Amino acid sequence: MSSSFKTVRKLKVVSPVPADIDVANSVEPLHIAEIAKDLNLSPDHYDLYGKHKAKVLLSVLDDLQTLQDGYYVVVGGITPTPLGEGKSTTTVGLCQALGAFLDKKVVTCLRQPSQGPTFGIKGGAAGGGYSQVIPMDEFNLHLTGDIHAITAANNLLAAAIDTRIFHEATQSDKALFNRLCPPNKEGKKKFSDIMFRRLKKLCISKTQPEDLTPEEVTKFARLDIDPNSITWRRVVDVNDRFLRKITVGQGPDEKGMVRETGFDISVASEIMAVLALTTSLADMRERLGKMVIGNSKNGDPITADDLGIGGALTVLMKDAINPTLMQTLEGTPVLVHAGPFANIAHGNSSIVADKIALKLVGPGGFVVTEAGFGSDIGTEKFMNIKCRYSGLTPQCAIIVATIRALKMHGGGPEVVAGKPLDHAYLAENIALLEAGCVNLARHISNTKAYGVNVVVAINKFSTDTEAELNTVKNAALAAGAYDAVICTHHAHGGKGAVDLGIAVQRACENAANSFQFLYSLDISIKEKIEAIAKSYGASGVEYSEQAEKQIQMYTNQGFSNLPICMAKTQYSFSHKAGEKGAPSGFILPIRDVRASIGAGFIYPLVGTMSTMPGLPTRPCFYDIDLDTSTGKVIGLS
C-alpha cells in the first residue's frame, strides 16, 4: 500500500463486521498534528482540541489562495429507506480508497451530526463498519463545541426578541430612546456602532442622538414587533417532543406578556445554515445581522441587527467558523463542519471546509463531500444553493444505491426502522428490483442535467446476489450513468471502494465542465418552485392561501431573488412518503412559505415538517455507557 499520505494505516479486517463502536475503538487514532502535517498545514494554521481534533483556521485560505483547486465530488443517493443507504459510509470508504490505495491527495468533508439522532433512533453519522471517522464518539458527541455555540447564539437572539417586546410595551418612546443611548461620563449620548446599521436602513443620516426629531426617535427606538409574526424559536440539541409547543412569559415579573412559541432542534437553527453557507468571517457577520426574526406591525422585516445583536452573535460564532480536522480509520484527513437540516435547510457541510480542502489537495487531488438525503433533496440543494454561494462546481456526482431500497421502490413491503426486514429483501427477486430501478434512473437523469458526470455506487450487502448487483449496474448505465460500481467498503474499508475510486477519477478527468443550475435567480419565487417540482415528476403546483400570502410578502420585501430550499419528505419524489418508485403527474401542494434571509434562501413547506424530533420507545441511549476502567464509550452506533 503506497500513498501520498504518510499517515495511512492498514486495517485488520474481520468477518462478520463488529459493531461500529468496536471497530472504531480497535484503531488507535494518530495524533492530529500528524494528519495536519501530511496536508502541509503548519502549526500556525490550526488550533489543537486535544490529541485527535484540531480547528483549521480560515487564514489557510489567504495563504493558499494562489494554488489551484483539486477535483470536487458530491455524494448523494437514491430515495432512501428509513434505515439509510450508506451515503456517509460510502463517502468515507471512497476517500480511504483514494488516499490509502490509489495514492491520491484526498479530504473528506462531512456534516457534524446532531446529538438528537445519536441518542434517539438513527444513531451516529461517522460512517460505519470499516469506513468511519474516528474517534467515533468524539465525532458524534460534542466535537469542538460548534453546535453548542449555535445553541447559545440562537437562544440569545430569542431572549433579545421577547425582552425588546417587553421593554417597548412598558416604556414611552423617549424613555426607550434614552435607555438605548444612555449618556456617557461626560453626559454626552452616542450611538453604538451597530445602531448605524438601523439608522441607515431607516434612511436617517444623522450621527448624533440629540439631532433626531421626535418622529425619527420613534422610528429608531420602537421596533414594534408583531408577536404573531415571530418565526425565531429557541433550540436545544436533544430530541424533546414536549418542547415543540410551549408558552413563555408566565412569570409574575413579565406582566402578562404570554406568548406561544416552541423549540427546534439546534441543527434546525438558521444560524447553522448561515455557518454552512458563509464564505468568510466578514460574510458571516453580515449574514447573522440580516437574519429576519419576524415583522413589525407595519409589515417591515425585523432583523438581528435591528435588535442590535448581530455583532454579539458573531462573537459567539467566531471559533465555530473554523472547520474541525479529524481522520478516517485508514489515516486519511477529514474536515467536519456544520450540519444543517436537509429539509428546511440545505443539508450540506460548509463552504469554507470545501474551499480549504480543495486548496490543500491541489491539482489532481480529491475533495469528497456528502449531501443529505436523496439526490432530489441534498444534491439539488448542493447544486442550486451551495454552489451558487461558493462559486465552486463539481466534476462528478455519486449516487449511492442499495438493492434493499430499490426493491422497496419496486413495490416491496414497508421498511421500518427497528423491525426485521421482510423476506423479500433477503432473497433474490429480480422482477421487484427491476421495477424499482425507475427511482435510480430519475435520480441519474436529474443529476446529469447539472452537466456533471454521474457515478453510481452500489453499496453491497451480504444478502445481495450477483444477478441483482448486475441488474442495478446495467440499469444505471442504461439510464446514462458515467459508470456504476459495486462497493464493499463497509466490510473491507478502502480496499472495498478501490473500483469506485478509479471510476470517480476517470469521471473527474473526463468532466465536460458544462455545469448549469436548474433555474435562474431572476425568475419569480413561483417559477423557481415549479422548476424544482417538475424535477420531482410533478405536473403542477398548488399553493395554499397562506403560501400565496407569504410569497407576495417576500416579493414585496425584496427577497424574491433568493434560491429555493424545498422542505419535503425524503422518502419519495412526491409529497407523499408512501409513494415509491418514480411517481409522476401529481400536483405538489405548498402549505406555507418561509425564509432564512441571513442564510440566503426561501423555503416552501411541502406538507408538515417537524423541526423537533421525538424519542422512540427504546432510544439509542439504552445501549450507550462508559467503560469506567478504560474511559472508552461503549454502545454508540
Side-chain angles (χ1 to χ4, degrees):
M1 188 196 307
S2 66
S3 173
S4 295
F5 294 119
K6 298 182 180 67
T7 53
V8 296
R9 60 170 75 84
K10 188 168 184 176
L11 289 175
K12 295 178 182 177
V13 172
V14 299
S15 181
V17 180
D20 290 346
I21 188 67
D22 294 332
V23 173
N25 284 341
S26 72
V27 175
E28 182 61 34
L30 297 164
H31 196 288
I32 201 64
E34 294 183 55
I35 303 292
K37 185 178 180 182
D38 249 9
L39 282 171
N40 295 320
L41 287 169
S42 77
D44 292 338
H45 286 146
Y46 59 87
D47 289 334
L48 290 172
Y49 277 63
K51 296 178 182 178
H52 305 133
K53 304 185 297 289
K55 280 281 196 180
V56 180
L57 307 178
L58 295 195
S59 58
V60 170
L61 281 174
D62 296 328
D63 294 346
L64 304 181
Q65 60 181 325
T66 59
L67 299 183
Q68 285 183 287
D69 289 347
Y71 292 123
Y72 196 28
V73 180
V74 60
V75 180
I78 61 172
T79 306
T81 70
L83 306 177
E85 309 319 307
K87 284 198 318 298
S88 299
T89 306
T90 301
T91 302
V92 175
L94 168 61
C95 292
Q96 290 180 180
L98 287 166
F101 290 88
L102 296 174
D103 198 25
K104 301 296 178 186
K105 282 278 190 181
V106 63
V107 173
T108 315
C109 289
L110 295 176
R111 289 181 293 167
Q112 179 185 353
S114 164
Q115 289 180 170
T118 299
F119 291 108
I121 193 168
K122 181 178 177 290
Y130 287 100
S131 295
Q132 290 191 57
V133 180
I134 56 172
M136 181 249 220
D137 56 332
E138 295 183 30
F139 177 89
N140 283 311
L141 300 175
H142 305 284
L143 199 62
T144 47
D146 295 356
I147 292 180
H148 299 317
I150 288 163
T151 302
N154 184 101
N155 293 343
L156 179 63
L157 178 51
I161 294 164
D162 286 310
T163 299
R164 186 59 173 261
I165 295 171
F166 170 79
H167 288 305
E168 287 191 17
T170 56
Q171 297 178 49
S172 67
D173 294 348
K174 183 178 180 181
L176 193 63
F177 183 69
N178 287 338
R179 286 183 171 88
L180 288 170
C181 302
N184 59 21
K185 291 179 181 179
E186 290 76 37
K188 187 173 176 61
K189 294 181 179 179
K190 61 177 291 188
F191 292 118
S192 63
D193 288 345
I194 199 169
M195 291 178 175
F196 287 105
R197 293 176 180 246
R198 176 155 177 80
L199 290 167
K200 182 178 180 181
K201 176 180 176 179
L202 297 172
C203 299
I204 298 172
S205 58
K206 297 168 183 175
T207 59
Q208 300 301 322
E210 56 267 23
D211 293 340
L212 268 61
T213 66
E215 293 78 14
E216 289 170 336
V217 165
T218 299
K219 283 174 65 178
F220 170 79
R222 195 163 293 280
L223 301 182
D224 206 21
I225 299 169
D226 178 0
N228 295 320
S229 75
I230 296 171
T231 55
W232 198 265
R233 289 154 60 96
R234 289 162 174 83
V235 298
V236 64
D237 195 37
V238 295
N239 292 0
D240 192 345
R241 67 176 69 243
F242 285 93
L243 292 177
R244 289 171 180 168
K245 184 177 284 189
I246 64 167
T247 55
V248 294
Q250 297 198 59
D253 295 333
E254 279 63 61
K255 303 178 183 176
M257 304 287 291
V258 175
R259 182 173 71 83
E260 190 176 276
T261 180
F263 274 74
D264 295 330
I265 196 163
S266 293
V267 292
S269 170
E270 182 177 349
I271 296 175
M272 176 63 90
V274 165
L275 178 66
L277 289 170
T278 196
T279 55
S280 67
L281 195 57
D283 180 56
M284 184 173 74
R285 169 63 185 88
E286 294 306 309
R287 287 176 181 271
L288 291 171
K290 287 193 298 185
M291 294 187 304
V292 173
I293 58 88
N295 298 326
S296 71
K297 290 173 183 173
N298 287 331
D300 299 318
I302 302 297
T303 67
D305 273 345
D306 286 326
L307 284 154
I309 201 170
L313 300 180
T314 309
V315 168
L316 285 171
M317 292 293 294
K318 70 179 179 65
D319 295 321
I321 197 173
N322 299 313
T324 300
L325 180 65
M326 297 188 74
Q327 62 191 285
T328 66
L329 286 168
E330 297 191 67
T332 61
V334 181
L335 285 178
V336 186
H337 202 213
F341 249 36
N343 43 40
I344 67 160
H346 64 294
N348 283 260
S349 61
S350 78
I351 286 173
V352 293
D354 290 1
K355 285 195 164 191
I356 289 170
L358 285 164
K359 295 298 183 188
L360 290 174
V361 299
F366 293 83
V367 171
V368 184
T369 187
E370 180 197 350
F373 293 154
S375 297
D376 56 320
I377 298 178
T379 302
E380 183 271 311
K381 294 174 182 180
F382 171 86
M383 302 292 189
N384 291 306
I385 299 176
K386 186 175 180 180
C387 287
R388 273 188 214 272
Y389 286 121
S390 70
L392 302 171
T393 55
Q395 287 75 43
C396 173
I398 295 171
I399 297 175
V400 178
T402 62
I403 306 295
R404 173 180 70 194
L406 291 171
K407 284 181 177 178
M408 179 190 71
H409 287 296
E414 185 180 9
V415 176
V416 180
K419 291 187 178 180
L421 282 172
D422 188 273
H423 180 71
Y425 297 108
L426 306 176
E428 182 173 286
N429 191 326
I430 301 298
L432 196 64
L433 182 60
E434 287 178 335
C437 283
V438 293
N439 183 270
L440 173 60
R442 182 176 290 173
H443 282 292
I444 291 170
S445 62
N446 280 358
T447 307
K448 280 188 68 179
Y450 295 105
V452 299
N453 285 331
V454 176
V455 174
V456 174
I458 306 166
N459 189 13
K460 184 180 184 297
F461 285 64
S462 60
T463 53
D464 300 339
T465 68
E466 187 175 348
E468 288 176 327
L469 293 165
N470 287 332
T471 296
V472 177
K473 186 170 183 177
N474 292 334
L477 294 173
Y482 182 85
D483 205 346
V485 183
I486 298 162
C487 309
T488 61
H489 45 274
H490 183 273
H492 302 119
K495 186 178 181 180
V498 168
D499 288 345
L500 177 62
I502 293 169
V504 166
Q505 182 179 347
R506 286 178 49 245
C508 289
E509 290 172 348
N510 293 290
N513 295 319
S514 56
F515 181 84
Q516 59 184 6
F517 296 115
L518 181 63
Y519 54 82
S520 166
L521 289 184
D522 57 13
I523 61 176
S524 70
I525 292 174
K526 281 190 174 181
E527 287 172 311
K528 292 174 209 170
I529 291 172
E530 286 152 20
I532 299 171
K534 185 178 178 182
S535 76
Y536 297 156
S539 59
V541 179
E542 181 179 77
Y543 301 91
S544 70
E545 185 179 340
Q546 171 68 8
E548 293 276 11
K549 176 184 168 187
Q550 292 294 101
I551 288 170
Q552 190 58 55
M553 181 188 75
Y554 291 131
T555 302
N556 293 344
Q557 291 177 343
F559 301 136
S560 64
N561 63 337
L562 294 174
I564 299 297
C565 183
M566 297 286 267
K568 178 187 77 72
T569 177
Q570 68 268 37
Y571 296 122
S572 172
F573 273 111
S574 82
H575 56 291
K576 296 179 180 177
E579 289 188 346
K580 304 304 180 184
S584 61
F586 56 91
I587 302 298
L588 191 75
I590 305 298
R591 179 177 63 85
D592 199 355
V593 177
R594 298 176 189 167
S596 292
I597 302 302
F601 52 75
I602 304 283
Y603 61 100
L605 298 176
V606 183
T608 303
M609 288 289 123
S610 174
T611 50
M612 171 54 83
L615 290 170
T617 304
R618 191 190 187 284
C620 293
F621 60 61
Y622 272 91
D623 300 313
I624 299 171
D625 211 326
L626 194 70
D627 183 334
T628 55
S629 62
T630 64
K632 287 187 178 293
V633 174
I634 54 177
L636 203 59
S637 62

